[in-house]
Amino acid sequence: MKSNIAGRIAQIVPTMLLVSVLVFCLQQLMPGDPALVLAGEERGDPRVLAQIRAELWLDQPLIAQYFHWIGRVLHGDLGFSWHIRQPVVALVMQKLPVTLQLGGMAFVIAVLIGVPTGIVAAVYRNRFWDYVANAVGLAGLSTPNFWLGIMMILLFSVNLGWLPPSGFVPLSEDWHQSLATTIMPAFVLGNAIAAVLMRHTRSAMLSALDQDYIRTARAKGLSNWHVLTRHALRNALMPVVTLGALELGALLSGAVLTEQVFSIPGFGKMTVDAVFNRDFPVVQGVVLVTAFLFVMLNLAADLLYVVINPRLRRS
Amino acid sequence: MSARHPAILVARRFLRRPIAVMGLAVILLFVLGAIFAPLVAPYDPIATSWSAIRKAPSMAHWMGTDENGRDVFSRVIYGARASMLAGVISVLIAGGIGVPVGVLAGFAGGWTDALLSRLTDAILACPFLILAIALAAFLGPNLTNAMIAIGVSTAPRFMRVARAATLEVAALDFIDAARTVGTTPFKVAVRHILPNIVPPVLVQGTLAIAAAIIAEASLSFLGLGQQPPDPSWGSMLNAAHRFLSQAPWLAIFPGLAIFLCVLSFNLVGDGLRDALDPRGQ
């Protein structure tokens, strides 16, 4: 098993290497000369331009530029923001905790809604509650999360006045205010993932309930509750863990829109601001960091899968 | 075509699902609205009117007017053009890249497969919308670039589906038979494999249109898609966000249009999947 885990970890290297090539290539899509953007007022001065090009290795062949860039990335240097004039790593470190709090809450909400509704749908297969759960799930999948956010602000902030429409208070400052500012965005962000989790849980539970050992458990006279929770659910949750981890990428994507709607100063808002300020080092840094996070979270899910599945542990 | 032709059998099974048929009807309605927008829309979608700024829905303006006095109903109808076009074209781009690459990977195997699969993993590792935003940002914000960005970001999904389906088909006896009689690998791939992987690709395509419509609305909402004054559902919501307390109708109708359209594509996709694979029920 140890060699399996080592093999799985080794797989990350080529994937991340290719991601880095893709992110580097993004820069080549950009119209115009970055040195002109950076030079600002002094763009007419050929000496300034030459100096900037030399500093950024822009006067070197592409392959040399790539190795220079990846060398710095591996040393934890993602470059320098053109607009805010700060290292990209510092910006990411500053904004990421906000998004992680939001994403963490969203994932908890998604699991609390998605898994129980999936179980109910499977138990009442092809009956009323199954249809209700499926319809709600499909509606959740079809609702763009930024629109859901706007509608929730309309209802809970504008009409009812219960929650603030925007802003963010960190947990460490005032947990009560923090929850008040994040509950709506977290629900919006969790909504689509809840729908996906519900579908996965339903189909995993259906195939678990079809197994012979469930019939045996029922034949032994175990209560319905016991059969569901101890026998079916424990087996059904395993695929849900892996598939759920794949949704964490959707969480990062969704955060961009949710933070924009609720004016939350997180990672997503930083990305959008960087795009509009044509702050390309930040955009590149964001893609690289999110891809890395996603790959690591998937690895964590695969390892967790081994931990909770005794059959894999023994082999 | 005879009545026993597979396509007719699938169509019959699809038509027996009232909810999927309803989805198809709604899509047709949107498509017709988009094509005949100049005939259907009561007003010019970009004509401003200073005497009708932010008027609530009424008989004259069914969905009210926006911050420049433009008719929201007409803008929603014209907005269907941007959404439908973006949905279909970006999926064609995604399929056009993903399917040939997937067939090649599945059919060639070995190093080609390993390399293409790792490349797909790498693109899939970048969260979909973040990749699309980055591409749209580097290419420049407009509807065409948004479609390219969405298409390229979606391509890996088609590659995966096409590769898996190719592996399944390539293992069947008739492929061996075709190879034995000397058919070239290219001809085997195009004549024998491609037609047999259509069902899963079709299902993936329908569901991908739903996702692409949401993605285009998202990019336009962020200001990276359709540019003003041309209407798109996403950019209308962007403007509506600023006038939420004074003019809530601005936010309600474009969002409902996206929801209905995406829901319909999802219903048709689910219906198609069930109709193509009766065993899965």
Side-chain angles (χ1 to χ4, degrees), chain A residues 37-297:
Chain A
V37 180
L38 272 174
E41 310 246 304
E42 295 167 282
R43 69 186 63 191
D45 188 343
R47 272 177 310 173
V48 174
L49 290 180
Q51 193 194 341
I52 292 173
R53 287 199 185 105
E55 264 172 34
L56 294 177
W57 283 51
L58 290 173
D59 50 359
Q60 302 288 322
L62 267 187
I63 192 94
Q65 282 186 41
Y66 172 75
F67 281 108
H68 172 69
W69 176 76
I70 193 72
R72 284 189 3 217
V73 167
L74 288 174
H75 284 95
D77 175 8
L78 290 175
F80 207 76
S81 158
W82 295 354
H83 186 73
I84 312 178
R85 309 267 162 195
Q86 268 188 42
V88 174
V89 172
L91 279 174
V92 168
M93 285 303 161
Q94 190 189 329
K95 304 287 186 185
L96 204 54
V98 177
T99 304
L100 289 182
Q101 182 190 333
L102 191 65
M105 282 175 68
F107 200 66
V108 170
I109 291 174
V111 170
L112 287 180
I113 299 175
V115 174
T117 29
I119 296 171
V120 168
V123 171
Y124 293 100
R125 180 183 194 176
N126 289 339
R127 278 184 278 164
F128 180 72
W129 287 114
D130 185 22
Y131 294 130
V132 171
N134 273 313
V136 172
L138 198 61
L141 275 182
S142 306
T143 313
N145 75 6
F146 58 98
W147 184 56
L148 182 65
I150 294 174
M151 289 296 106
M152 286 186 79
I153 293 176
L154 189 61
L155 180 63
F156 292 108
S157 306
V158 176
N159 285 333
L160 298 170
W162 289 354
L163 293 164
S166 62
F168 176 77
V169 178
L171 255 186
S172 51
E173 218 168 88
D174 177 353
W175 69 271
H176 194 250
Q177 273 300 311
S178 180
L179 283 185
T181 51
T182 45
I183 189 74
M184 265 202 297
F187 178 81
V188 167
L189 194 50
N191 157 66
I193 296 160
V196 177
L197 280 180
M198 176 252 151
R199 286 187 151 197
H200 288 328
T201 310
R202 178 179 180 271
S203 69
M205 272 301 272
L206 281 180
S207 66
L209 285 171
D210 246 9
Q211 302 291 319
D212 286 340
Y213 60 78
I214 296 292
R215 199 182 323 132
T216 310
R218 287 194 203 279
K220 279 198 304 187
L222 293 180
S223 72
N224 206 10
W225 175 255
H226 193 95
V227 172
L228 279 182
T229 52
R230 299 299 299 270
H231 294 262
L233 188 59
R234 287 183 77 164
N235 286 288
L237 277 185
M238 278 185 267
V240 174
V241 169
T242 328
L243 293 166
L246 288 174
E247 291 308 311
L248 292 167
L251 209 69
L252 289 167
S253 283
V256 176
L257 293 158
T258 312
E259 289 178 8
Q260 191 72 13
V261 171
F262 291 94
S263 307
I264 292 172
F267 198 69
K269 186 101 176 49
M270 175 183 80
T271 310
V272 176
D273 291 344
V275 164
F276 281 103
N277 294 322
R278 302 183 69 79
D279 199 346
F280 295 111
V282 176
V283 179
Q284 275 183 320
V286 164
V287 180
L288 204 60
V289 170
T290 47
F292 183 70
L293 277 177
F294 182 69
V295 168
M296 293 318 270
L297 286 168

Side-chain angles (χ1 to χ4, degrees), chain B residues 33-58:
Chain B
I35 295 172
F36 298 108
L39 300 175
V40 187
Y43 296 90
D44 180 345
I46 51 175
T48 55
S49 163
W50 300 115
S51 59
I53 287 176
R54 292 206 304 265
K55 293 272 185 261
S58 62

